[in-house]
């Protein structure tokens, strides 16, 4: 749970929810883990063999969602 006093996180969640509210489950999956997504690129680099958590660089995520 996010603490109630963490307004920035709550505002971000509300913004994401409003922006993506009309998308189907499939559309959301494509955005999150589809071809060329940051997640997909990382798991492919590791041949889908991730035994430990791998951090996706913020710059990679930012570029993907602003390109």
């Amino acid at each position: 749970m996010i603490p109630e006093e963490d307004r920035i996180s709550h505002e971000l969640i509300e913004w994401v929810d409003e922006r993506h509210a009309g998308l189907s489950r499939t559309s959301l999956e494509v955005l999150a883990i589809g071809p060329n997504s940051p997640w997909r690129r990382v798991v492919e680099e590791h041949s889908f063999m991730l035994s430990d958590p791998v951090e996706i660089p913020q710059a990679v995520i930012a570029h993907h969602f602003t390109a």
Side-chain angles (χ1 to χ4, degrees):
M1 291 285 293
I2 299 170
E4 194 62 39
E5 60 273 6
D6 185 351
R7 292 304 320 146
I8 293 173
S9 293
H10 285 280
E11 289 173 10
L12 175 62
I13 291 168
E14 289 175 25
W15 178 83
V16 170
D17 184 52
E18 290 170 5
R19 181 172 180 168
H20 297 93
L23 296 178
S24 68
R25 177 182 175 189
T26 303
S27 295
L28 290 171
E29 287 177 359
V30 168
L31 281 174
I33 62 173
N36 299 315
S37 70
W39 179 86
R40 183 66 170 228
R41 289 173 42 197
V42 167
V43 296
E44 286 176 351
E45 288 173 8
H46 292 85
S47 302
F48 293 88
M49 302 295 286
L50 297 174
S51 57
D52 295 318
V54 175
E55 186 172 329
I56 302 171
Q58 288 295 320
V60 172
I61 296 169
H63 175 67
H64 177 74
F65 287 102
T66 58

